[in-house]
Amino acid sequence: METELGFLLDLALILLSTKALGIFTKKIQMPQVVGALLAGLILGPACLDILQETDFITECSKIGVIVLMFSAGLETDLKGLKKCGFAALVIALLGVIIPCIGGYGLAYIYNGRIIPSDATANILFQNIFIGVILTATSVSITVETLKELGKLNTDAGTAIMGAAIIDDILGIIALTVITGIGNPESDANVGEVLIKIVAFFVIAGIVGFLFYKLFKSWTDVAGEDKRRYVIVSFVFCLLMAYVAEVYFGVADITGAYLAGLVISQTARKEYIEKRFSVLSYLMLSPIFFASIGIKVKLPSMTKDIIIFTVLIIIVATITKIIGCGIGAKCFKYSTKECIQIGAGMVSRGEVALVVMDKGGKALMPSSLQGSIVIMVVATTIVAPILLKLLFKDKA
Amino acid sequence: METELGFLLDLALILLSTKALGIFTKKIQMPQVVGALLAGLILGPACLDILQETDFITECSKIGVIVLMFSAGLETDLKGLKKCGFAALVIALLGVIIPCIGGYGLAYIYNGRIIPSDATANILFQNIFIGVILTATSVSITVETLKELGKLNTDAGTAIMGAAIIDDILGIIALTVITGIGNPESDANVGEVLIKIVAFFVIAGIVGFLFYKLFKSWTDVAGEDKRRYVIVSFVFCLLMAYVAEVYFGVADITGAYLAGLVISQTARKEYIEKRFSVLSYLMLSPIFFASIGIKVKLPSMTKDIIIFTVLIIIVATITKIIGCGIGAKCFKYSTKECIQIGAGMVSRGEVALVVMDKGGKALMPSSLQGSIVIMVVATTIVAPILLKLLFKDKA
């Protein structure tokens, strides 16, 4: 019976530690989400090794990030998002290109020295692949931080949301290109991938519109709020997430975010939003945040790898801020907002890990996988701290 | 990627089907929970075979029933429960003895005919074991039904809650006795089991009291409701459930119920209750109810086994109503209330399955395990229907 019920203990531990450390980080003027991330890191294999990643944690954390992005969609100001559409594209593009160059450059300098030259792999592609990993953006932590600070619907917040979605798409394209060319046996076809992405947004648009019409006429009839509205919204969110990832190769969180955007246009928005916020904070979000830290397994590291790790963290942080910042500067954003937008895109989160996982076997030297994981966690912890500092005074 | 995200589809399917069928059963004047149970049965291996039991479903359903019992504890009128303590003991005792005799009698008549006489097993113990399975009571479905009907805090509702807890303990003792005597290799010792049960309630009482004092002084300070109160309550509930089952051999749901009782005495009760109700209906309860139906795998059945199955369902239902009804009749309850209390104890739910699982290998002919599972599901569906009919007019 002991092991069968172990997940209850895991859950209790996650809830208690993320909340306790969250309260602590809040006390020292940092976002609560930093505490939650640290809780996973401390309890996980990297430090105390009390918590290990289980299927339960993995699957609940997946639902957690989906609910988080769905809620972000619910809270997004759609008009603001439309207005900043072109700006978001430019921000995302520069936020992909400059980190990619930075990552490639760093890998180029170090290749042969600490990156073992694997005869079967093409060194050029290895270097580019490290650049591609740095292009990823995980916006979930930023969303949580901006929500906590009450800044999700500022101009900068909206721009971050828009750019993050586009970044996700650019990341998929870059990943497909590099694995397609670097690995001749891969059956990924760039044209096919592009068609699928376009098809997804077209179909999502049509489905979203139809769902919006149906949902509106269904919920407009009765005056009272009903549990079934919340459940049907959740089902829509889960299906959009599933279909996006499985049938179109677009990230599940993008599907969930779009589902949230659709529901945000209905009159039941606030009622639904509140229910999801409970589901999120009471169980799913703590599991998601803790799971990021729990994933970290510190490898045996040589001095060279430690230096590389430190450098890649710095490169990852600075190139994203510069890239997105320049992108934002091309439009009407103030310098302060440009830095805010850049900082909001710094977190790599699970997206970079997925990229590594998918392309890693052929293109990523295994000795560096630990460095990438540490970089992901470091940028994920740095991002909310930066945001908190940058959003201190009203922008 | 397909299989990795399959749990999202499972969850969407469970949410949609349980709600849709729940609304349907409500329309035809039956409790929604019946629809949710049917949804699992229809989608599971017994019918369409679209949903199979996964670890994700098992673990979420476990948390679901724990949250359900915790909420029941939160809503229980502790004074009423204390008042009916002795009555609950008698109700539970007779609700254990009479079904046990009924199950034994039925098995005795059929043994040798359809129950294969296994040379290695003792027929007497086989028969008694089938009786012991019928002693179990699963109160979670009753709780949900009474909540739905708004009758949880009636005299009958309180008596059911009290009797169900005591029934749980009697069930553990009966199981230990029968497996201990019937299986000489079992290391279960009746005295030890009894000491553990007593120790649990003593320790739970002390811990509950201390937690109550601490929680009260912590939450009385600030005026505002805070998320941390809900999270700490959840952690307390999970730990009580875990410790009850793993260290004391008492059912986890009993631990969760006691945790709910403790929190029910604090001023934050209502705030906490509402948050758990969202967590429950939006995700965990649907999974729990569906999981009961999903567990059913129809075995290849001979005519004799079908007759035995029908008879055991009838015996299980009638003996519980008669046993508990007579028990209640010894006290001040009206005839109507007696039948209500009996009907509230009919559902065998997961408790009987656990009993079968623990003692089944040595004592249960495998050909009959399908009959027992069907009996469990049948009583679980019958109970809420009976309750709805019996509670129609105000008692």
Side-chain angles (χ1 to χ4, degrees), chain B residues 115-349:
Chain B
I115 303 180
S117 304
D118 190 339
T120 62
N122 188 318
I123 289 180
L124 174 68
F125 282 115
Q126 273 195 1
N127 296 347
I128 296 178
F129 185 68
I130 290 173
V132 168
I133 287 178
L134 292 199
T135 66
T137 287
S138 165
V139 82
S140 51
I141 303 294
T142 299
V143 164
E144 183 67 15
T145 312
L146 291 178
K147 270 190 186 177
E148 212 183 310
L149 302 172
K151 304 286 186 191
L152 192 60
N153 267 325
T154 56
D155 287 344
T158 310
I160 290 170
M161 289 310 302
I165 295 171
I166 298 168
D167 184 292
D168 171 41
I169 296 156
L170 295 176
I172 297 164
I173 298 172
L175 175 67
T176 316
V177 173
I178 181 74
T179 51
I181 306 171
N183 179 7
E185 279 173 35
S186 158
D187 59 352
N189 176 302
V190 181
E192 201 181 292
V193 168
L194 287 177
I195 291 171
K196 270 184 162 181
I197 291 172
V198 172
F200 171 72
F201 281 90
V202 171
I203 292 172
I206 297 169
V207 170
F209 182 74
L210 291 176
F211 182 85
Y212 166 75
K213 284 284 173 196
L214 281 172
F215 191 82
K216 211 170 136 67
S217 69
W218 179 47
T219 58
D220 273 358
V221 177
E224 215 182 312
D225 286 323
K226 282 184 178 169
R227 291 180 171 187
R228 60 190 69 167
Y229 302 156
V230 190
I231 288 174
V232 167
S233 308
F234 197 12
V235 170
F236 181 57
C237 157
L238 290 168
L239 291 179
M240 286 283 282
Y242 180 81
V243 167
E245 176 109 20
V246 174
Y247 295 115
F248 294 95
V250 176
D252 45 13
I253 52 173
T254 302
Y257 179 77
L258 293 181
L261 274 186
V262 170
I263 309 275
S264 79
Q265 298 305 300
T266 70
R268 304 290 175 179
K269 174 190 152 183
E270 271 178 47
Y271 171 72
I272 293 168
E273 206 176 300
K274 273 186 194 154
R275 300 305 174 280
F276 276 96
S277 124
V278 173
L279 181 65
S280 193
Y281 83 74
L282 190 47
M283 180 169 154
L284 297 175
S285 289
I287 298 179
F288 168 60
F289 295 132
S291 77
I292 296 174
I294 293 172
K295 282 203 183 83
V296 179
K297 282 173 201 140
L298 290 184
S300 54
M301 291 181 110
T302 65
K303 202 180 127 200
D304 278 335
I305 292 185
I306 293 173
I307 295 172
F308 179 79
T309 307
V310 172
L311 287 176
I312 204 169
I313 292 171
I314 296 171
V315 169
T317 308
I318 292 177
T319 54
K320 205 65 160 184
I321 296 178
I322 293 176
C324 296
I326 294 175
K329 199 67 198 165
C330 301
F331 294 84
K332 58 185 179 299
Y333 296 97
S334 71
T335 306
K336 182 158 196 182
E337 283 174 328
C338 291
I339 303 173
Q340 287 173 344
I341 291 169
M345 307 283 284
V346 160
S347 163
R348 298 306 194 277

Side-chain angles (χ1 to χ4, degrees), chain A residues 49-305:
Chain A
D49 202 17
I50 299 171
L51 275 179
Q52 289 83 29
E53 207 182 359
T54 62
D55 285 349
F56 175 73
I57 292 176
T58 309
E59 288 169 353
C60 285
S61 73
K62 193 59 161 169
I63 300 177
V65 67
I66 284 172
V67 167
L68 205 64
M69 292 307 292
F70 177 69
S71 302
L74 273 176
E75 290 181 34
T76 300
D77 170 15
L78 188 58
K79 277 178 199 154
L81 191 65
K82 275 181 188 158
K83 227 169 51 190
C84 80
F86 187 60
L89 178 66
V90 174
I91 293 169
L93 263 176
L94 285 170
V96 159
I97 292 168
I98 294 186
C100 190
I101 295 172
Y104 171 80
L106 187 68
Y108 179 80
I109 295 166
Y110 269 74
N111 216 332
R113 197 165 141 213
I114 70 140
I115 303 181
S117 304
D118 191 337
T120 63
N122 188 318
I123 289 180
L124 174 68
F125 283 114
Q126 273 194 2
N127 295 348
I128 295 177
F129 186 67
I130 291 174
V132 169
I133 288 178
L134 291 201
T135 65
T137 286
S138 164
V139 80
S140 52
I141 303 293
T142 298
V143 165
E144 182 68 15
T145 312
L146 291 178
K147 271 190 185 177
E148 212 182 310
L149 302 173
K151 304 285 185 193
L152 191 59
N153 266 326
T154 55
D155 287 344
T158 309
I160 290 171
M161 291 308 303
I165 295 172
I166 299 169
D167 184 292
D168 171 41
I169 297 157
L170 296 177
I172 297 164
I173 298 171
L175 176 66
T176 316
V177 173
I178 181 75
T179 51
I181 305 170
N183 180 7
E185 281 173 33
S186 161
D187 58 352
N189 175 302
V190 181
E192 202 181 293
V193 168
L194 288 177
I195 291 170
K196 270 184 163 182
I197 292 172
V198 172
F200 171 73
F201 281 90
V202 171
I203 293 172
I206 297 169
V207 169
F209 182 74
L210 292 176
F211 182 84
Y212 165 75
K213 284 284 173 196
L214 282 172
F215 191 81
K216 211 170 135 70
S217 69
W218 179 47
T219 58
D220 273 359
V221 176
E224 214 181 313
D225 285 324
K226 282 184 177 167
R227 289 180 174 187
R228 60 191 70 166
Y229 302 156
V230 190
I231 288 174
V232 168
S233 310
F234 197 11
V235 170
F236 180 59
C237 156
L238 289 169
L239 291 179
M240 287 282 282
Y242 180 81
V243 168
E245 175 108 22
V246 173
Y247 295 115
F248 296 94
V250 175
D252 46 12
I253 52 174
T254 302
Y257 179 77
L258 293 181
L261 274 186
V262 170
I263 308 274
S264 79
Q265 298 305 302
T266 71
R268 304 289 174 179
K269 173 190 154 184
E270 271 180 46
Y271 172 71
I272 292 168
E273 204 176 302
K274 272 186 195 156
R275 300 305 174 279
F276 276 97
S277 123
V278 173
L279 180 66
S280 192
Y281 83 75
L282 190 46
M283 182 168 152
L284 297 175
S285 289
I287 299 178
F288 167 59
F289 296 132
S291 77
I292 295 173
I294 293 172
K295 282 202 183 84
V296 179
K297 283 174 200 138
L298 290 183
S300 55
M301 293 179 108
T302 64
K303 203 181 129 201
D304 277 334
I305 293 185

